[in-house]
Amino acid sequence: MAIRWSRVRGILFALPILLAATAPGSAAAPRPASDATYYNDAALPAADPFVLRDPRSGDYFAYSTDGADPGHEFAIYRSPDLVTWQRLPGGALDMGDGEQWGRDWFWAPEVYHNPATGRYFLFYSARLRDGVAEHFGYADFEEPSKVGVAVSDSPAGPFRNITPGPIDYHPYDPDYHDVNLIMDAEQKKPPATLEEGRTAPLGTYIPFIDPNVFFDDGRIFLYYSRNAYRNWVWDHGLGKYIEESNVLVVELTAEWWNDPTGTTMPQIAPGYRDANRSPDDPPGVRKDGFTPIVDYGSDPQQWENAHVDDYAETGGAEKDRRWSEGSTVVRTTTRDGRPRYFLTYSANNFANSFYGVGYAVADDPLGPWRKSPANPVLSQDERQGMYSTGHGSVIAAPDSAELYYVHHGRPSAEIDRRLYTSRLHIDPDRSSLRIDGTTEDRPVPSGVAPYSLVADRPLIDVSGGRGEVGWRVGTASGTAMPLGNSLNRVEPQVDPASGLTVEPAADGAVVHGSPAGVVPLRLSYQRRLAAGPYAEVHQDAGPVAITVPVADCATTVAGEQADIVVSEGVTCLVDAQVRGSVRVAPGASLIAVNSTVDGAVHAESPGAVWLSGGSVAGQVRVRGAVGPVRVDGVEVDGSVTLTGNSGPVVAGSVIGGALRCWGNPAPVGEGRANEVRGAVRGQCGEL
């Protein structure tokens, strides 16, 4: 018996909404912050993924049935951008903690964060290890699936079971003729007629999986899938029984959510408890209620019938079945301010080519729900090498301007499920939902860019023939990109004629060699394309790249100094304060990073002059340099004059006097504008 809305009204309290999405407006789409792209490379093992964005770190965490280390259940993947993931060691649940109630079939993890208490709650399904008869009435009940809850102070876990048992919920269907009780031991061939099936005893406990918790205006709902097992439904059109899974819902109370200690298990709302008890039931027998949401009989769609003849086609090896499971509910708002709810679900067997995603729409969390005639909205596409797509969750991009469906699929019919991210579009006014399932290049989610690329040191000193540098790529929110994922990388480049070799790793490089002067090491952020090669990422300020000097520093100066004369070799000023001027003799080179010079910087026929960060109170004059000349992010109170040099760079600097450039190859600014308060003369007009 279904619990009706009127029987469970009246519980109101403040709770976060899982997701609010409105239809796209008529305004033009904002200009992308970068040209960065991604594609679904299907490199990570994952099934039934659920994604949470952690408000504290800004990172996304995906929880998966597959992919955990031995001794653990549920892999955890971290991503700053929804599309570039790295797996965390271990898994969400440590199976050796002594608190595990489940035996096997650990499926479909979902995690919810309460910012008021800081707790993270993991919902998951598993088959009972003990007490099967007490929960389901029969010790040999084949699929005794229940839902448990674990808690953590971090989205990365570890999660611990709140209690060594599942949620205290005993859904019972009193109107179901339990035909399994009159079937043979193999439990695959149901009665041949409806009349015979109706001779079976009435009533069965419902095994359930695939939990999805939905928060809506102070109410909490637990959507779940009724296992197909022990749910043989007579199909009048086919004239036979089909074993089906359906989507159901029960309302939860809020004590568990609001408990700051995280030690309270979720409880079902009082109106559902014992709602299906009979007056003849003995004391202590639990028979709880539920509300049907999605099933085949009330809203049939032909695409869900891929397995209704499996028994005959496999010679009795498989059952005739249908599936509706893996649901996710989101709330949107129409233009006139009314709520509209969308529920995605998966149908058919996950290992089959007909497995796909459909959706239903309602104006109330309890329905009625109507399936879309556009179903399926995500399905196998062999041309793109994307097979068996389904069971995902809906999540917003970092700036909430876009929605995505993170789901599983397979890159071929022979490979297990993998992690995919697909753009999702919802129009609540038209009750439409579509998913851009593709393995082609797509823009990274909105709000990820602009990127920042920083090195862990301002120069690389290769004294002794070896130096090191580390790097980090950050998103617009400051979270770090996982450079160990081959979808992205930082590419270090030096002039091959420099005599240097670079040994790169994911987060840094070792530089070998002893250059004669100063050599620029260019670091650029790149993303891999679906076709295979990498492409450099650009944004408004130009490429996401930085240049770091590499030199064999003959002298390194730090702290406070008087006038400096660089007479030979390479002198490196690092966080220095020069209480005078710096003069560079012919053939000698200067590197000054994050240093202040109270006077001028003059260089006549030097090897190189590299000023990065810091300030110069006087003028900067460099003439006839044979190596790199760079004025990068420097505040110069006086003028800057560059004459006859081999290739100057003036980028992101503030120049109080004039900027003059003559007789050089065209100076470059690398897309970073300069502020020049005096006159600009010669070649520097574009800077």
Side-chain angles (χ1 to χ4, degrees):
M1 178 176 65
I3 292 295
R4 305 308 304 165
W5 175 272
S6 60
R7 295 180 60 184
V8 292
R9 281 193 181 275
I11 306 173
L12 296 175
F13 35 79
L15 287 173
I17 296 174
L18 175 63
L19 178 68
T22 57
S26 58
R31 178 182 174 186
S34 83
D35 62 359
T37 61
Y38 83 99
Y39 74 98
N40 284 306
D41 64 345
L44 298 173
D48 318 322
F50 179 85
V51 177
L52 166 80
R53 190 176 193 214
D54 179 38
R56 295 187 294 188
S57 65
D59 284 330
Y60 292 91
F61 290 83
Y63 304 88
S64 161
T65 295
D66 296 341
D69 287 338
H72 295 77
E73 293 291 343
F74 309 128
I76 305 177
Y77 297 97
R78 183 196 75 87
S79 173
D81 64 357
L82 265 179
V83 296
T84 314
W85 300 92
Q86 67 178 132
R87 191 180 73 88
L88 303 184
L93 280 179
D94 181 354
M95 299 305 290
D97 67 359
E99 295 292 318
Q100 187 48 249
W101 57 271
R103 179 179 70 197
D104 53 15
W105 289 13
F106 288 87
W107 293 340
E110 301 203 356
V111 174
Y112 305 91
H113 174 239
N114 186 338
T117 66
R119 303 292 181 179
Y120 297 81
F121 296 91
L122 167 69
F123 284 69
Y124 65 95
S125 54
R127 282 201 301 188
L128 276 172
R129 183 180 58 213
D130 303 313
V132 174
E134 288 80 359
H135 282 267
F136 291 96
Y138 305 96
D140 60 351
F141 200 89
E142 186 179 344
E143 300 186 11
S145 299
K146 291 275 191 174
V147 168
V149 184
V151 67
S152 176
D153 295 329
S154 165
F159 289 84
R160 64 183 186 280
N161 282 297
I162 296 176
T163 62
I167 294 175
D168 183 24
Y169 178 40
H170 305 260
Y172 185 83
D173 185 348
D175 302 320
Y176 175 72
H177 288 277
D178 193 353
V179 299
N180 286 71
L181 298 176
I182 60 173
M183 290 167 60
D184 61 23
E186 288 193 353
Q187 297 284 289
K188 292 179 180 177
K189 187 176 181 180
T193 66
L194 177 60
E195 289 72 22
E196 182 184 357
R198 285 176 173 170
T199 66
L202 276 171
T204 188
Y205 283 99
I206 296 174
F208 59 106
I209 58 173
D210 294 358
N212 175 242
V213 181
F214 176 61
F215 302 88
D216 185 62
D217 285 346
R219 305 179 74 183
I220 310 176
F221 299 92
L222 174 63
Y223 293 82
Y224 59 89
S225 295
R226 174 179 184 167
N227 290 39
Y229 176 70
R230 253 181 160 97
N231 190 32
W232 291 97
V233 178
W234 183 262
D235 188 307
H236 291 275
L238 297 176
K240 62 180 179 179
Y241 277 102
I242 307 294
E243 196 177 44
E244 296 184 2
S245 65
N246 315 128
V247 179
L248 312 176
V249 69
V250 64
E251 189 168 354
L252 303 177
T253 60
E255 288 81 4
W256 66 279
W257 183 251
N258 297 324
D259 179 5
T261 69
T263 58
T264 300
M265 277 291 281
Q267 299 289 325
I268 64 172
Y272 286 88
R273 185 181 176 99
D274 281 331
N276 289 328
R277 266 181 62 89
S278 165
D280 298 329
D281 287 328
V285 172
R286 284 280 298 280
K287 293 182 178 180
D288 298 332
F290 56 88
T291 298
I293 297 297
V294 172
D295 61 76
Y296 181 84
S298 61
D299 201 356
Q301 291 193 332
Q302 181 60 33
W303 73 282
E304 300 176 12
N305 284 327
H307 302 280
V308 296
D309 295 317
D310 276 9
Y311 185 83
E313 292 175 359
T314 64
E318 303 290 342
K319 303 177 185 179
D320 292 336
R321 273 186 159 183
R322 291 191 186 98
W323 286 267
S324 298
E325 55 190 23
S327 63
T328 291
V329 176
V330 297
R331 171 177 169 162
T332 66
T333 305
T334 63
R335 286 188 176 89
D336 59 4
R338 292 180 293 112
R340 182 150 294 159
Y341 302 86
F342 288 76
L343 178 147
T344 61
Y345 69 97
S346 297
N348 301 316
N349 187 286
F350 77 89
N352 188 273
S353 61
F354 297 102
Y355 184 61
V357 175
Y359 76 94
V361 183
D363 292 328
D364 187 283
L366 295 177
W369 292 83
R370 298 298 299 173
K371 298 176 185 175
S372 168
N375 290 341
V377 290
L378 181 64
S379 58
Q380 178 165 302
D381 188 343
E382 295 182 21
R383 295 169 302 174
Q384 297 195 77
M386 189 164 65
Y387 297 76
S388 304
T389 52
H391 197 146
S393 60
V394 181
I395 191 71
D399 64 358
S400 299
E402 298 172 346
L403 298 179
Y404 285 83
Y405 188 65
V406 180
H407 58 94
H408 66 228
R410 297 190 291 164
S412 76
E414 292 76 34
I415 297 176
D416 289 338
R417 289 169 286 183
R418 296 290 189 267
L419 190 64
Y420 289 77
T421 301
S422 298
R423 179 77 186 277
L424 181 143
H425 305 264
I426 292 180
D427 185 339
D429 292 287
R430 293 183 174 88
S431 295
S432 69
L433 179 152
R434 61 184 178 89
I435 299 172
D436 176 25
T438 180
T439 56
E440 299 176 353
D441 295 312
R442 290 290 185 266
V444 296
S446 59
V448 171
Y451 297 95
S452 61
L453 170 59
V454 296
D456 67 350
R457 61 200 64 197
L459 73 90
I460 304 170
D461 186 353
V462 289
S463 301
R466 184 183 185 278
E468 296 182 356
V469 62
W471 50 67
R472 179 185 187 275
V473 176
T475 66
S477 63
T479 56
M481 292 298 301
L483 298 172
N485 184 319
S486 63
L487 284 177
N488 67 156
R489 72 180 185 185
V490 170
E491 177 73 357
Q493 295 173 317
V494 295
D495 185 338
S498 66
L500 295 174
T501 60
V502 181
E503 181 185 337
D507 298 315
V510 177
V511 181
H512 300 277
S514 297
V518 179
V519 175
L521 173 67
R522 185 175 187 269
L523 307 175
S524 65
Y525 180 56
Q526 302 177 354
R527 294 194 64 89
R528 198 171 72 191
L529 303 176
Y534 286 85
E536 190 168 275
V537 175
H538 295 78
Q539 45 204 31
D540 287 345
V544 183
I546 58 175
T547 304
V548 182
V550 182
D552 183 349
C553 298
T555 303
T556 299
V557 177
E560 189 170 327
Q561 301 291 326
D563 290 342
I564 292 178
V565 176
V566 182
S567 57
E568 60 181 357
V570 180
T571 293
C572 300
L573 309 184
V574 182
D575 297 320
Q577 300 90 42
V578 180
R579 301 307 183 192
S581 296
V582 178
R583 185 172 298 276
V584 184
S589 296
L590 169 70
I591 298 175
V593 293
N594 302 327
S595 296
T596 60
V597 178
D598 291 346
V601 175
H602 289 169
E604 187 74 27
S605 301
V609 174
W610 190 299
L611 309 178
S612 179
S615 63
V616 178
Q619 63 177 257
V620 174
R621 187 176 66 200
V622 182
R623 185 172 70 173
V626 296
V629 174
R630 193 172 187 93
V631 182
D632 185 349
V634 185
E635 291 190 19
V636 181
D637 292 344
S639 61
V640 174
T641 304
L642 307 176
T643 309
N645 301 294
S646 62
V649 174
V650 183
S653 294
V654 177
I655 301 171
L659 175 59
R660 311 182 188 96
C661 301
W662 289 289
N664 312 282
V668 297
E670 298 183 340
R672 291 177 290 132
N674 300 282
E675 180 184 342
V676 182
R677 296 167 184 162
V680 179
R681 297 285 187 265
Q683 299 168 300
C684 295
E686 299 299 320
L687 302 180

